[in-house]
Amino acid sequence: MASLTEDPVLGISDIKDREEENEKGKTQVVKTEEVGQSERDMASATGNSIHRSGSRPQLDLSKAAIQGNFEERDPTILLPNQSDDLSHLALDIGGSLIKLVYFSRHEDQSIDDKRKKTLKERLGISNGNRRSYPILGGRLHFVKFETNKINECLDFIYSKQLHRGGMDARIWNPDAPTNENAVIKATGGGAYKFADLFKERLGVSLDKEDEMNCLVSGANFLLKAIRHEAFTHMEGHKEFVQIDQNELFPYLLVNIGSGVSMIKVDGDGKFQRISGTNVGGGTYWGLGRLLTKCKSFDELLELSQLGDNRTIDMLVGDIYGGMDYSKIGLSASTIASSFGKAISENKELEDYSPEDISLSLLRMISYNIGQISYLNALRFGLKRIFFGGFFIRGHAYTMDTISFAVQFWSKGDAQAMFLRHEGFLGALGAFMSYEKHGLDDLMVHHLVERFPMGAPYTGGKIHGPPLGDLNEKISWMEKFVRKGTEITAPVPMAPPGTTGLGGFEVPSSKGGTLRSDASALNIGVLHLVPTLEVFPLLADPKTYEPNTIDLSDHGELEYWFTVLSEHLPDLVDKAVASEGGTDDAKRRGDAFARAFSAHLARLMEEPAAYGKLGLANLLELREECLREFQFVDAYRSIKQRENEASLAVLADLLMELDSMTEETRLLTLIEGVLAANIFDWGSRACVDLYHKGTIIEIYRMSRNKMQRPWRVDDFDVFKERMLGSGDKKPRPHKRALLFVDNSGADVILGMLPLARELLRRGTEVSLFCM
């Protein structure tokens, strides 16, 4: 597909709780100008001085040099004098949950893949202690564990060797001594409580960071660096909001943990706690446990989904005979007194259902938090209110209740906003506290979020050790159990008494299913590509949206899900054929089909589960799944045949074009560019035409269908510039950038003839493959 402005790839991926990613494709984006970036980064890196305390791991840049070919996309820096371990892990250890953020580099491909670099080359090890680190690229992963299962967290860290910089446990000597100076950044009360355990199990010290600092730092990073991180939630509807970082501050950050803190944030490192309340998540959980006998916070939330608070709460309508109190703007359904009916009814606790109690309690606390938050925002003149903390957990009723309270008390002038990564604010802030994390200046176009195979099942929860290689990934997919619309995944299990990387529960067992609260959002892996820059010719980069088809419309969503589902068997056949049709390829193809079908099922259930969803995201999700199972190019054999067929008729097409008048040729060329797009990604129309003639006949039939006016039609302006009119002389373009596919009839029969015409007129032409 040819385009000057559209980007078919926006980031989506899954949290890789259990495995190292094995990506082989290149990220496609509408950004350019990477020439010389490695050299500029190198000069910047070596020119910065680093001030650290002696107890912290130091990045020694003396005599640093780029290793290998300077023209590589992601060259590595050799650090000949680097001796300390550089940690890429941070934790927020709370009373209920452990949130873990870790960074991985791109050298995490399977060691038994012979097509990759040798182990020595991948690790950048040349002499003794010498190591190399990539200038750019890598991934931020988000994982959470229950605090009472902290040993699972420690096993996970050890199995991925995160405390040693992320080396694979199978290629690292487990008996090698850990650097006694190695530290991990941590925040939360558990950073003090479990410090000795980390030292004993992993041989690392926990460097404690201030909880409030981490909270604000994490929120600032997310709001500035993640596209569509914030969203509103009213009456079950999510709407993603892009925040202009130049207009971000000041804002109110409301962190709802056991209690509630309200923080006015004026900038990076500039904040103050202006208020709070002791009625928070701990209140809900504590009272809920006493009143319902629930054994977990999540169980209490699930009960609320089945409740009816009208059986317990006294409503305005109960006082006024079912009528509104319209004079002061209160509807009959407004809660006048939480738990108010329990006063007048001759009932005991056991006469009320736990579901109704849970919902009434949830609304009582959420309404009060929302009201107090708005009043503090009003007090300081703050327009933006962001809510986070473990109390929210992506729970629809909680977000709806808080949003209603803010809207009600502000009379619609303010909105409650929530963060997709809200549970990881503290851990992210702790990660940002490393003095050389390299993320200070990241922008929204530097991070691409992706959701590979585990996303529909885990949502960031760990159920066992990480999957170590492709074979284990395939085995995991093969054990999926489907019952109607519910999908059950097997749980990776370590052999008894070990911290190994293999093993599964028996297929009949139940693992992590799609959650009962379908509105919950998944957390993906953030792929960092710091060299990317916004395309400079965009009219307004701040508001540019590459997705031209918005799948928030249910009709569009259902149509495209049907197309992709029906096309899946054919795609699997092509992918298997591209790898020679071997038994191994067939097994990988089946695993891919299961993984992608699971994604579609999850997104049909909750279209916003992976963030704002457009067609470009959906197509890239499919490509990511293919790469996950090592299908480099599912259309390789088709591309080869199409290239050969197109090249065979190119000369005849050029002769035909040359025989036309200038004006006719120019129109035909543009029609040809539009017509050639019909060859893209196996559309139904393309399949039908393939049965009707040769490739040149298909091209001509498609061209004849491109009747003006087009949806966007500036041809007359283009023609006047190219050919002139009246007294106006032609004004050839100085330079043209043509964004094209990397093969196929659309580039050979569509874009190349256009490029040839422009070259003839003295225009410098650059082709950019997407």
Side-chain angles (χ1 to χ4, degrees), residues 441-492:
D441 300 319
L442 286 181
M443 307 286 282
V444 292
H445 52 270
H446 291 150
L447 289 160
V448 180
E449 189 173 19
R450 298 202 180 106
F451 295 83
M453 73 176 205
Y457 313 100
T458 62
K461 297 176 183 176
I462 292 293
H463 300 286
L467 301 176
D469 57 29
L470 177 63
N471 188 59
E472 289 181 11
K473 292 181 187 180
I474 295 173
S475 296
W476 198 70
M477 293 305 309
E478 288 174 341
K479 295 177 185 293
F480 283 157
V481 178
R482 184 185 294 273
K483 295 180 180 179
T485 58
E486 184 183 80
I487 303 172
T488 301
V491 180

Side-chain angles (χ1 to χ4, degrees), residues 316-318 320-334:
V316 169
D318 296 324
Y320 290 93
M323 304 292 289
D324 297 339
Y325 190 176
S326 55
K327 185 176 181 179
I328 59 174
L330 297 178
S331 68
S333 61
T334 301

Side-chain angles (χ1 to χ4, degrees), residues 103-106 134 136-141 525-530:
F103 180 81
S104 69
R105 306 184 191 94
H106 284 305
L136 19 123
R139 305 176 182 92
L140 272 177
H141 305 253
V525 174
L526 297 178
H527 290 234
L528 277 64
V529 193

Side-chain angles (χ1 to χ4, degrees), residues 9-16 21 23 25-28 106 139 448-452 455 523-527 529 620-621 624 627:
V9 179
L10 269 188
I12 41 187
S13 84
D14 172 49
I15 184 146
K16 302 287 264 199
E21 289 189 87
E23 178 189 330
K26 290 186 177 179
T27 306
Q28 303 172 7
H106 284 305
R139 305 176 182 92
V448 180
E449 189 173 19
R450 298 202 180 106
F451 295 83
I523 302 299
V525 174
L526 297 178
H527 290 234
V529 193
E620 173 59 14
L621 178 61
E624 182 68 21
R627 291 192 290 265

Side-chain angles (χ1 to χ4, degrees), residues 48 140 217 220-222 224-225 245 268 428-429 431-444 446-447 528 530:
N48 290 338
L140 272 177
S217 178
N220 286 345
F221 170 75
L222 290 171
K224 289 193 295 183
Q245 69 167 341
D268 291 322
L428 258 174
F431 184 88
M432 297 294 290
S433 69
Y434 285 110
E435 294 185 30
K436 198 62 182 175
H437 50 66
L439 304 181
D440 288 316
D441 300 319
L442 286 181
M443 307 286 282
V444 292
H446 291 150
L447 289 160
L528 277 64

Side-chain angles (χ1 to χ4, degrees), residues 92-99 146-148 188-190 193-194 258:
D92 179 4
I93 310 175
S96 303
L97 294 172
I98 300 172
K99 283 78 68 177
E146 294 180 20
T147 304
N148 60 10
K193 182 177 180 179
F194 298 109
S258 298

Side-chain angles (χ1 to χ4, degrees), residues 661-689:
T661 64
E662 275 192 326
E663 184 172 339
T664 303
R665 181 169 69 248
L666 199 60
L667 177 61
T668 303
L669 283 167
I670 300 303
E671 287 175 341
V673 169
L674 297 174
N677 272 296
I678 203 168
F679 292 90
D680 240 5
W681 80 277
S683 64
R684 289 176 177 174
C686 181
V687 173
D688 292 340
L689 285 171

Side-chain angles (χ1 to χ4, degrees), residues 299-317:
E299 183 184 352
L300 190 62
L301 281 178
E302 288 179 10
L303 281 180
S304 70
Q305 295 176 214
L306 306 173
D308 182 355
N309 67 302
R310 294 173 298 179
T311 64
I312 299 178
D313 292 342
M314 184 180 293
L315 309 182
V316 169

